[in-house]
Amino acid sequence: MELTQLIREAAKNLETPFLVLDTNYVKENYYKLKNSINDVEIFYAVKANSHTSILETLRDLGASFDVASKGEIEKLMNLGISTDKMSFGNTIKKEKDIKFAWDNGVEYFAVDSEMEVEKIARNAPGAKVYGRLSMSSNDSDWPLSGKFGTDVDHLIEILKYAKRKGLIPYGVSFHVGSQSYNKYKWKEAILNASEVFEKLHKQKIDLKMLNLGGGIPVKHTKPVPDVEEIGEIINESIKEYLGWVKGLRVLSEPGRSMVGNAGIIASRVLLRSRKGTQNWVFLDTGVFHGLMETVENFRYEVLVEGKEYSETTTMTLAGPTCDSVDTIYDEIELPINIDYNDIVYFINTGAYTNEYATSFNGIGPIKVYTVEDLEALLKGEIVFMEEMQS
Amino acid sequence: MELTQLIREAAKNLETPFLVLDTNYVKENYYKLKNSINDVEIFYAVKANSHTSILETLRDLGASFDVASKGEIEKLMNLGISTDKMSFGNTIKKEKDIKFAWDNGVEYFAVDSEMEVEKIARNAPGAKVYGRLSMSSNDSDWPLSGKFGTDVDHLIEILKYAKRKGLIPYGVSFHVGSQSYNKYKWKEAILNASEVFEKLHKQKIDLKMLNLGGGIPVKHTKPVPDVEEIGEIINESIKEYLGWVKGLRVLSEPGRSMVGNAGIIASRVLLRSRKGTQNWVFLDTGVFHGLMETVENFRYEVLVEGKEYSETTTMTLAGPTCDSVDTIYDEIELPINIDYNDIVYFINTGAYTNEYATSFNGIGPIKVYTVEDLEALLKGEIVFMEEMQS
């Protein structure tokens, strides 16, 4: 997302830290994905950012939603989103959440184990289930294999078991890993998925749905394949491996790629100090209040207002809490003259930021504004509770 | 904390997950520490657990409080705690928080850098500042060096600078690291602190306060020195190295050691599955909803209701969210017959659990009950909002 004059004005005049969201990027991302994968149905992964402005934007675009819990289902229902637009994609569900979802009209449930099939059979008899495949190897920043999914043969057994339990084996899902750099992973995954389709077809079970998961990367500090390139691979692979499936539905569950570039975090330098040979810069936000992904060394683009990157030095960048885990980057190149009260931006931080925020140290979760909020705040038209307290 | 019949009843009958707190343990911990260190003033580190029941218990015992932010100061003030019982121990403060604290009567401020001295001088002229020493080596689960504190010579310069800026150089603090296993670390730290006292005394600056920080360990899966042993070392070291200081005030800032053993988390098995050769057990709570410290492999004692530990196997224990980071322990020995819906307890989880909780995946932060809450809930006398929703 572009660092606009409005955001710069806001950072100068409002209390930091805050995350600003621009839903125009969400719209753009939605259409790009829609245009890149043939006949794709988009189920936005709510967990990436459940801010109302984003959910409303996607609702109005006609998107569907991938949900992880009863809490998310209720939030969507409260926004007038119909449950037939939801898929319960978490493979580890509470039984009462399954029942709640089913009783309220959610039809699709993810599984990757026999026990989950049993739980769904007990609480959502007749539901459509899709099985999650694990990925064998990895080229992503945030791998999701291991905890989720299982292998082809096991998945076939699980889907057959689902049928015996009165459920409808409906499809296959996978996840190439969040922020995946290798576009050929989708080809490999679709090939694996097609094996499940074929083997079950031979046993008179006809699956209808391929769920491509998420994983489309957002540009940060490394080059990434764009959605058009990935879409091309996906379209070719579906044609090649699943072209024979009549009436195949193709779903995508983008999270990061829908909202990652729709946000910027603005923060301020609270302290600069030197300890031994180490240069420390402390900000008013950190790991516990929006930048949790950095603990796994997720690298955002970092900009310092008014300071040039022509002369830089290696510094340690940390958050404001009394906890050493609250260290954003052990080593980062920053302008050598970065100073107290400088504004520091984290670019493309719309995904997995405010969602991971805690209230640790008596510091509330990061404030979230839309660009419209910023405009009104700068004009003095609205006063947020947080602003009033500050 | 003992796993009582009441907690077992509650776990069986109420919705999990929840954290139960027993403030009797807090009282016991308070008196133990008070009796172990001569004339110690206890400043409870609010960040460890800011639940009202704990703050009220410590308030009624006459404790003082180590605060990290304006938010914590306000919370304490709302509980009728006087600001002369607070010390602003965070070395990375917002200027407006310094001003707020000073204007409301907070007198003590921690520093470990020149810039923080300047911020305090601007906003709290005449305040008492204490300098934080870093520790050279480490034997703790959660080291705090690097981000906090500085060396003896630098600290002396900082405290002299504070004097020139119109502040009162008041004392020295350190932190041996959270959950420290080596009781001799306190001796080493007090020796280092005494060097600051001595060198400044020769320059006509007389410090008055030694702040021992936290770090007293809670018993989990490894043996730990008890508070009496640690107190003995501290008393001897103070006598040996600082016996010459007239009217020395000795402060302690316990966090974990005040509340760690005052809590138990009760959760349930949502799913058991096998992937390849790996056994997975999934719970209804995890890294994002109370068990954050386990990401750094902090090892709690884990008990499974009604299952024997005589026959165990290695499993992977994970939380309920769609995120692979939400894995509690990659390898843990659990009863071989652990099954769906079994109740799983995490013992001595009163510190840094609910404080680190997020609302990720639409799952709220872990519910917190006191033992009195549990009694009333089981009798049906009170209905919590969360219980009503479930």
Side-chain angles (χ1 to χ4, degrees), chain B residues 224-243:
Chain B
V224 297
D226 61 29
V227 61
E228 289 87 351
E229 284 176 75
I230 292 169
E232 214 172 301
I233 295 271
I234 288 172
N235 292 332
E236 283 167 12
S237 306
I238 290 176
K239 200 173 154 193
E240 184 174 349
Y241 303 127
L242 288 166

Side-chain angles (χ1 to χ4, degrees), chain A residues 118-138:
Chain A
E118 292 163 9
K119 285 158 63 183
I120 296 169
R122 279 199 291 273
N123 295 281
K128 299 185 175 77
V129 295
Y130 56 100
R132 182 158 168 174
L133 270 180
S134 59
M135 298 294 295
S136 48
S137 65
N138 221 289

